[in-house]
Amino acid sequence: MGKLIRISGPVVEADGMAGTVMYEVVKVGKEGLMGEVIKIVQDRAIIQVYEDTAGLVPGEPVEGTGLPLSVELGPGLLPSIYDGIQRPLESIAEKTGSLFLPRGVNVAPLDHSKKWEFKAVKKAGDKVKKGDVLGTVQETDLIAHKILSPHDGTLKTIHSGKFTLDDTVAVIDQAGKSSNVTMVVRQPVRKARESAEKLNPTIPLITGQRVVDMFFPVAKGGTCAIPGPFGSGKTVTQHQFAKWSDTQIVVYIGCGERGNEMTEVLTEFPHLVDPKSGKPLMQRTILFANTSNMPVAAREASIYTGITIAEYYRDMGYDVSLMADSTSRWAEAMREIGGRLEEMPGEEGYPAYLARRLAEFYERAGRVRTLGSDERYGSITVIGAVSPPGGDINEPVSQNTLRVTKVYLALEAALAQRRHFPAFNWLRSYSLYTDSLDPWFSQSISADWPKQRAEAMGLLQKEAELQEIVQLVGPDALPEKEQLVLATTRSLREDFLQQSAFHDIDTYSSMRKQYLMLRNILAFHARATAALDLGVQLKRVLAMPIRNNLGRMKEVAEGHLSTLEGLQGEIDKAFDELSRKQ
Amino acid sequence: MKEYKTITQIAGPLVFVSDVSGVGYNEIVEVTLPTGEKRTGQVLETSSTAAVVQIFGPTSGINTTGTKVRFLGETMHLGVTPDMLGRSFDGLGRPRDGKPPLTPEKRLDINGSALNPFQRDTPSDFIQTGISTIDGLNTLVRGQKLPIFTASGLPHSQLAVQIARQAKTISKEKEAFAVVFAAVGITHEESSFFMSEFQKSGALERAVLFLNLADDPSVERIITPRLALTTAEYLAYEKDMHVLVIITDMTNYCEALREIAAAREEVPGRRGYPGYMYTDLSTIYERAGRVKGKKGTVTQLSILSMPGDDITHPIPDLTGYITEGQIVLGRDLHRKNLYPPVDVLPCLSRLMNLGIGKERTREDHRGVADQLYAGYATGRDLRSLAAVVGQEALSETDRQYLAFADAFEQKFIKQGAGEDRSIEQTLDLGWELMAGLPESELKRVKKEHIEKYGRRFRKEEKKEAKKE
């Protein structure tokens, strides 16, 4: 046991700490505030404290726990809301009865008194490998929680029935030594969980957001960075991903963000229904709410806590998506703590290990074959928001993130200001997954998906060139064909790329709908180009009433997609008529 | 009580005291000068032998030999009582209106604690400010923190006063309302403007004022907003009041933060502001909201001037990342003599969607706002194009957009300093302006809403329909 000798914000120093190890969790002061050893000098330990340190006095005791920072894993994680070090905010509210977060509260992350129905899938005498499914627990209506074998061996006993987390559900014999298996595991957070093999991503994450799915697809197990200035729609995009992504588990880390926005998630998600299962979305969601005014060290930890839980579900064979909003706040927490340690700073005051930490975090994403003998596959897709100062991505966090992520969705203030949402700049954004995902799109949606995307993107690029000319000479100076390109790209922007997160139908577009919408816009463009060739005036083409139908495609409900299927025929008919009149 | 005479170093607002023991972090300190004068301070760093104390007020007169330092063993607290309404205090919470001190009902830690996110309730009560650009396009809701980004020479004070005077909800219940006003480093003139305006509108008796003026010690500015918010939380969560907190000017707060960081010789972040400024600002801005099981709310309307009109300056930048949107005032509009000069394009209210729509404002609200935004943005772009190629080179639709942008500024943005528009007036005004655009351009509004709300403003089309 040591004694406090210095306190400076979230960083404290204690002596008499010989024997402590790096990243050991310690209890600081009389109130037992939770902290973690981040530096050791002889018998002195430098500790980052996860709670407010006001009032701590030198001389107060510091006690080691002998454990690294860990999370508790087991049934009951879903659905819950935790702070950055997995303290359950709901239980804290119940236990303390306070509106605020008091210090030194000790509440277990999972409910240890609740009995869960455990169904054994293995039987006594079976040989098991590390990672094999021993049994399942129906955690929520949506998710069967799989209890995995902690190591190789032979099952001595295993029982179905109702158990609490700490009850023994099975006994495994390993080389003559028996060990009890319970439904709860403690897992250090700063090290990735083991898996058998990392695979290349070949399946898209379907988000229902047209600009993403069509132009900048994210793969299941992929990584995606969303940098953008404030007000450009980072958080709404993250919410949309959390709501509509086709993964079974969603881990949402509110890292140093706004309290009211977390509340919005908390109140809105229970009312939202998963489009596939019809169950509330909350049943598949774990939230971490470490708002900006909560202790900065816990903010630093929240990213690790979140991804460790994501890995746990991945190892059961689930697809997990993880949203981190925002990784810049995480980096700033590192900077703040680094500053208090008087470390030699790297770029812009960030610690020199920033790039390594970011890379390590994103590398924990991926699609894997899990441990165990039954060929399970799981994935973690990481979508990280970045908040660059002033919206300028020439700064260390954005740059180091872009070096490791495969999809870059470039949010732009200018688009957001004209209420073009989602405000992704279609020329600057990119996805490096398109090539590996195109086979899937061609097979599952339509063979010409890649072709359509290339054509639309080509038009949008052409638009940028034409705009430069228009700025100099005005639109009238362009040949009619090029004016048509501008009209089509405007339609692409307004009728396809723009998507309202708050419109009951437009908020989610199925892949089929996305395909049809784009196909119709391009079909119109093709027919219009042909008509111009025949000498039809552009004015008459643009005055065609069918263009209004294109503009209202978004509002077509998923149940009425036949309208969109038929629109191409109507376009043909309208043009045939136009040329007849000619 | 521990008393020391062991000051070893004085630098800027900081005093270093050695040979101390058992000094708590953030503890309050009383410093007695050789003259007998007393000053207050706070522990910034403590170790088993020395403490760094930040003095609220000037360090002039403090010396290393005769000055006594007493550690009071607790963090900074404020005595609160409902009797604070109608009173004014200085930047450290001492009465400055000449009336006797109050008997506090309770003493609260001014640093507060973070609200448990689980205990927050979604803010959804629409506040009608009577200002079209806010109500219509960037709706304020109870429990929101919405700063006004302004710059020197712009009428932000008038706007803040107008909002404080006109703000109301459309609920029928009788509700207790209070204003907590924190002046942080503003001039005497500005402060008396607020005072007299509050007096005129009768808001003064429902207001608590904390005034740290430009010539008051700058270090006190760290404390003043926290006093205001502690009072606001007390009135809201314990006395069921809807509290509007106005803090002006947050830029002065950040300057004080930088001053202290520099005196401590900390590694500076961007433009010399400390690296923890984001976290520090969040402990102010996040103290707004609505909580479960309580009637009262805390709504924050902070004013901050953007140095050099630059919205990417660290102060507005970090603020924008914490607050739920921002109202931005623009110099160009002010030059055109438009009041209030709200530059709507960079404005945003993140909680708008929670407060608008059917049963709150009107079902067409979202669509109208989006359409006005899109139209005005297009019109503004076309202005620069028209300046180059001339109006004649533009298409008919483009010219309509130009006219729309002008009308939007003159009719929608511009309104009188005493003009209180209802939300219906604001939305109808929006439809009236949209009538100047062809219907095929109105893609942001639902078709049925055009029929229901917009049709009566669309004159020409009605006539055409009759002709046919």
Side-chain angles (χ1 to χ4, degrees):
Chain A
M1 196 159 81
K3 256 186 359 202
L4 274 181
I5 54 172
R6 193 172 75 98
I7 300 123
S8 168
V11 173
V12 304
E13 194 175 334
D15 67 1
M17 294 292 289
T20 188
V21 291
M22 274 299 267
Y23 298 114
E24 180 183 349
V25 170
V26 292
K27 301 274 177 197
V28 177
K30 283 180 252 170
E31 289 172 288
L33 308 182
M34 199 168 149
E36 187 181 11
V37 175
I38 50 171
K39 188 173 166 182
I40 302 172
V41 187
Q42 289 161 346
D43 72 334
R44 284 179 295 129
I46 317 285
I47 298 157
Q48 60 173 345
V49 182
Y50 293 123
E51 296 177 68
D52 186 19
T53 52
L56 280 181
V57 177
E60 285 191 44
V62 176
E63 203 179 334
T65 62
L67 294 169
L69 184 64
S70 307
V71 285
E72 206 170 81
L73 303 171
L77 286 168
L78 286 169
S80 41
I81 168 166
Y82 292 117
D83 76 352
I85 45 173
Q86 212 205 2
R87 282 183 303 190
L89 294 173
E90 186 171 357
S91 313
I92 289 179
E94 272 165 27
K95 192 175 167 185
T96 61
S98 165
L99 292 177
F100 300 97
L101 283 170
R103 297 194 302 175
V105 210
N106 210 347
V107 184
L110 297 172
D111 184 350
H112 286 252
S113 58
K114 181 169 175 174
K115 287 204 166 182
W116 294 91
E117 182 79 42
F118 174 77
K119 274 195 211 126
V121 296
K122 291 269 195 261
K123 53 187 190 305
D126 282 356
K127 281 212 178 319
V128 290
K129 280 215 139 67
K130 182 175 181 182
D132 277 354
V133 179
L134 298 178
T136 60
V137 172
Q138 197 63 38
E139 190 174 6
T140 67
D141 292 344
L142 289 175
I143 297 298
H145 194 108
K146 295 170 185 161
I147 305 297
L148 305 180
S149 172
H151 44 74
D152 297 356
T154 312
L155 272 175
K156 253 169 114 176
T157 60
I158 183 163
H159 300 287
S160 294
K162 288 201 149 207
F163 299 102
T164 66
L165 290 181
D166 303 307
D167 292 337
T168 301
V169 293
V171 178
I172 298 180
D173 185 271
Q174 188 189 20
K177 269 200 292 184
S178 318
S179 60
N180 296 342
V181 179
T182 62
M183 291 191 285
V184 65
V185 187
R186 286 200 71 81
Q187 175 84 36
V189 298
R190 291 191 192 271
K191 209 172 142 255
R193 270 173 72 97
E194 219 181 316
S195 59
E197 188 189 357
K198 216 162 180 183
L199 305 164
N200 282 332
T202 49
I203 304 169
L205 177 83
I206 296 169
T207 64
Q209 309 306 303
R210 290 188 291 265
V211 56
V212 178
D213 291 351
M214 177 62 78
F215 290 107
F216 311 108
V218 184
K220 282 206 176 90
T223 50
C224 169
I226 312 182
F230 61 82
S232 56
K234 278 187 301 298
T235 301
V236 176
T237 307
Q238 293 273 41
H239 285 192
Q240 286 296 89
F241 280 9
K243 285 177 198 167
W244 305 118
S245 292
D246 64 334
T247 53
Q248 289 106 337
I249 305 282
V250 173
V251 176
Y252 193 99
I253 309 173
C255 175
E257 286 291 307
R258 305 175 180 88
N260 277 334
E261 278 177 357
M262 291 315 295
T263 314
E264 209 182 317
V265 175
L266 274 174
T267 45
E268 195 182 352
F269 277 33
H271 300 292
L272 288 173
V273 168
D274 181 24
K276 278 188 303 271
S277 64
K279 304 281 187 209
L281 276 180
M282 201 61 200
Q283 293 206 353
R284 63 167 199 177
T285 310
I286 302 171
L287 283 177
F288 290 89
N290 213 89
T291 57
S292 51
N293 57 340
M294 284 159 71
V296 66
R299 194 198 301 166
E300 193 266 335
S302 64
I303 291 283
Y304 295 105
T305 315
I307 195 136
T308 309
I309 290 180
E311 285 172 341
Y312 177 63
Y313 280 97
R314 174 201 68 190
D315 290 348
M316 293 180 207
Y318 288 119
D319 290 319
V320 185
S321 48
L322 180 138
M323 284 85 203
D325 186 13
S326 140
T327 55
S328 293
R329 305 298 160 229
W330 175 52
E332 277 165 17
M334 279 188 246
R335 173 166 74 182
E336 191 172 332
I337 287 159
R340 305 262 185 190
L341 289 177
E342 287 165 15
E343 283 171 345
M344 181 69 88
E347 234 179 315
E348 288 194 17
Y350 287 104
Y353 46 78
L354 173 75
R356 172 174 62 84
R357 292 278 198 98
L358 280 167
E360 275 171 3
F361 164 62
Y362 282 105
E363 202 50 24
R364 286 171 82 168
R367 195 169 121 80
V368 302
R369 185 164 61 79
T370 64
L371 293 179
S373 43
D374 61 343
E375 285 264 322
R376 282 193 313 274
Y377 296 93
S379 70
I380 300 178
T381 313
V382 173
I383 296 154
V386 186
S387 319
D392 177 6
I393 64 159
N394 275 322
E395 56 94 33
V397 184
S398 306
Q399 289 304 319
N400 286 313
T401 303
L402 290 178
R403 276 168 47 206
V404 289
T405 54
K406 291 273 178 0
V407 179
Y408 167 42
L409 297 176
L411 285 168
E412 204 172 84
L415 289 172
Q417 289 182 2
R418 55 185 55 234
R419 297 310 188 251
H420 174 111
F421 284 120
F424 298 126
N425 180 308
W426 47 91
L427 298 176
R428 292 215 331 267
S429 304
Y430 61 76
S431 164
L432 301 180
Y433 293 119
T434 39
D435 288 343
S436 54
L437 296 178
D438 273 349
W440 189 95
F441 288 125
S442 307
Q443 248 169 30
S444 313
I445 313 295
S446 174
D448 59 351
W449 179 285
K451 199 182 121 250
Q452 300 241 349
R453 174 176 55 216
E455 192 184 338
M457 196 38 89
L459 285 172
L460 288 167
Q461 268 155 6
K462 178 95 182 157
E463 179 192 35
E465 291 166 23
L466 293 178
Q467 287 293 2
E468 285 179 24
I469 304 173
V470 168
Q471 286 304 323
L472 294 175
V473 295
D476 280 355
L478 292 179
E480 291 217 318
K481 254 195 177 164
E482 297 194 329
Q483 290 187 37
L484 173 69
V485 170
L486 290 181
T488 303
T489 51
R490 183 163 170 217
S491 166
L492 275 174
R493 282 187 279 115
E494 293 180 356
D495 307 332
F496 187 84
L497 292 176
Q498 283 181 11
Q499 185 171 5
S500 168
F502 307 108
H503 187 286
D504 34 3
I505 292 170
D506 199 24
T507 181
Y508 175 87
S509 284
S510 65
M511 298 299 263
R512 183 79 198 151
K513 182 175 172 186
Q514 299 186 20
Y515 169 73
L516 290 173
M517 287 174 73
L518 192 64
R519 188 196 69 182
N520 291 337
I521 295 175
L522 294 176
F524 183 89
H525 181 69
R527 286 299 309 249
T529 315
L532 290 186
D533 281 340
L534 289 174
V536 179
Q537 275 186 308
L538 179 66
K539 217 166 64 189
R540 293 189 53 209
V541 171
L542 296 183
M544 288 167 76
I546 191 107
R547 290 186 76 219
N548 279 338
N549 298 18
L550 289 175
R552 299 278 167 192
M553 285 191 297
K554 300 174 181 186
E555 295 170 20
V556 176
E558 293 293 338
H560 298 98
L561 288 188
S562 54
T563 334
L564 296 185
E565 304 266 4
L567 194 54
Q568 191 172 13
E570 286 176 46
I571 292 171
D572 283 334
K573 225 163 66 192
F575 273 103
D576 291 346
E577 237 167 75
L578 193 73
S579 42
R580 254 204 308 281
K581 278 187 202 161
Q582 183 84 4
Chain B
M1 205 72 74
K2 295 158 229 141
E3 195 170 273
Y4 298 92
K5 286 175 104 175
T6 47
I7 295 177
T8 51
Q9 190 187 334
I10 306 156
L14 304 184
V15 166
F16 298 76
V17 193
S18 66
D19 298 325
V20 297
S21 75
V23 172
Y25 178 66
N26 266 2
E27 191 174 315
I28 286 299
V29 179
E30 189 186 85
V31 178
T32 314
L33 271 53
T35 57
E37 189 192 334
K38 286 193 168 128
R39 296 214 183 114
T40 319
Q42 186 177 19
V43 175
L44 281 191
E45 187 173 324
T46 166
S47 71
S48 36
T49 54
V52 182
V53 177
Q54 160 197 328
I55 305 294
F56 303 132
T59 40
S60 56
I62 299 182
N63 65 2
T64 54
T65 47
T67 306
K68 281 183 279 188
V69 181
R70 224 151 60 97
F71 294 92
L72 302 182
E74 62 161 27
T75 51
M76 184 114 178
H77 281 60
L78 173 73
V80 287
T81 148
D83 300 336
M84 292 169 91
L85 289 167
R87 298 286 306 266
S88 76
F89 304 88
D90 72 0
L92 286 181
R94 296 169 294 216
R96 68 178 279 156
D97 48 9
K99 293 185 201 156
L102 296 161
T103 324
E105 181 188 282
K106 225 174 179 179
R107 297 186 75 247
L108 296 174
D109 186 339
I110 65 152
N111 292 307
S113 300
L115 271 176
N116 185 337
F118 184 80
Q119 296 283 44
R120 281 182 184 267
D121 207 348
T122 323
S124 57
D125 296 334
F126 162 63
I127 301 180
Q128 182 177 303
T129 63
I131 293 162
S132 292
T133 40
I134 298 179
D135 294 351
L137 303 179
N138 297 287
T139 316
L140 177 68
V141 296
R142 267 185 185 160
Q144 186 172 12
K145 38 192 184 290
L146 190 67
I148 299 175
F149 286 8
T150 177
S152 37
L154 299 181
H156 43 269
S157 303
Q158 284 89 322
L159 181 62
V161 164
Q162 190 177 359
I163 293 173
R165 188 177 59 232
Q166 296 179 174
K168 54 182 154 298
T169 49
I170 12 191
S171 126
K172 280 169 204 94
E173 255 177 89
K174 200 164 158 43
E175 291 163 322
F177 187 79
V179 174
V180 174
F181 176 78
V184 182
I186 62 171
T187 60
H188 189 269
E189 241 170 281
E190 279 175 282
S191 143
S192 60
F193 168 78
F194 277 102
M195 298 278 267
S196 71
E197 286 295 321
F198 285 151
Q199 204 143 31
K200 265 193 249 166
S201 63
L204 203 56
E205 57 197 70
R206 309 295 305 156
V208 185
L209 308 157
F210 292 93
L211 306 174
N212 166 284
L213 301 185
D215 56 349
D216 286 334
S218 63
V219 191
E220 273 182 31
R221 288 168 199 159
I222 302 294
I223 299 297
T224 314
R226 296 191 160 85
L227 296 177
L229 290 163
T230 305
T231 313
E233 283 176 347
Y234 165 76
L235 293 175
Y237 306 144
E238 296 187 31
K239 299 291 161 200
D240 290 340
M241 289 184 185
H242 294 288
V243 186
L244 177 68
V245 183
I246 301 175
I247 305 175
T248 176
D249 173 326
M250 280 304 286
T251 302
N252 295 332
Y253 172 85
C254 295
E255 296 296 339
L257 208 61
R258 176 162 71 173
E259 194 182 329
I260 294 163
R264 292 183 68 184
E265 294 175 10
E266 287 173 5
V267 183
R270 268 210 304 158
R271 301 222 193 165
Y273 294 98
Y276 50 79
M277 191 157 89
Y278 177 81
T279 309
D280 191 280
L281 283 174
S282 75
T283 60
I284 292 181
Y285 293 131
E286 274 290 331
R287 292 173 79 175
R290 191 178 143 189
V291 296
K292 286 180 187 161
K294 302 280 177 187
K295 270 195 197 147
T297 54
V298 178
T299 308
Q300 245 191 67
L301 197 74
S302 312
I303 296 171
L304 75 82
S305 357
M306 301 179 281
D309 294 10
D310 177 10
I311 199 169
T312 66
H313 184 280
I315 299 172
D317 191 49
L318 295 178
T319 300
Y321 277 122
I322 305 168
T323 54
E324 282 129 6
Q326 64 277 337
I327 301 292
V328 184
L329 302 189
R331 203 172 289 284
D332 287 347
L333 293 170
H334 184 59
R335 264 193 217 119
K336 285 188 188 169
N337 208 12
L338 291 173
Y339 174 88
V342 177
D343 185 8
V344 295
L345 294 187
C347 291
L348 175 73
S349 164
R350 290 168 188 274
L351 303 183
M352 174 167 178
N353 286 307
L354 303 173
I356 64 170
K358 221 172 176 172
E359 281 158 33
R360 294 208 169 88
T361 53
R362 215 165 77 177
E363 51 182 337
D364 56 330
H365 196 152
R366 179 79 259 168
V368 170
D370 285 346
Q371 191 69 60
L372 290 175
Y373 256 110
Y376 182 55
T378 311
R380 284 248 299 235
D381 283 352
L382 287 167
R383 271 187 199 162
S384 47
L385 183 57
V388 180
V389 299
Q391 287 221 13
E392 303 72 38
L394 298 178
S395 68
E396 173 62 25
T397 316
D398 286 351
R399 280 196 294 273
Q400 284 173 324
Y401 269 113
L402 277 179
F404 171 83
D406 291 337
F408 180 81
E409 286 178 2
Q410 292 301 332
K411 290 186 178 160
F412 197 87
I413 296 184
K414 185 175 180 174
Q415 68 185 85
E419 190 180 348
D420 189 358
R421 293 184 191 155
S422 74
I423 184 65
E424 281 77 21
Q425 283 173 319
T426 292
L427 292 176
D428 285 347
L429 190 56
W431 282 108
E432 191 185 322
L433 293 171
M434 280 190 270
L437 294 174
E439 200 171 322
S440 58
E441 292 292 313
L442 304 185
K443 290 182 180 174
R444 303 301 184 96
V445 284
K446 287 191 179 166
K447 242 185 169 145
E448 70 233 48
H449 293 161
I450 301 184
E451 296 308 325
K452 195 166 166 190
Y453 302 103
R455 188 57 67 203
R456 59 199 160 105
F457 296 108
R458 308 191 69 85
K459 287 169 203 140
E460 325 87 83
E461 280 163 51
K462 259 191 217 163
K463 273 181 221 157
E464 272 170 38
K466 270 179 204 164
K467 267 184 226 161
E468 278 171 27

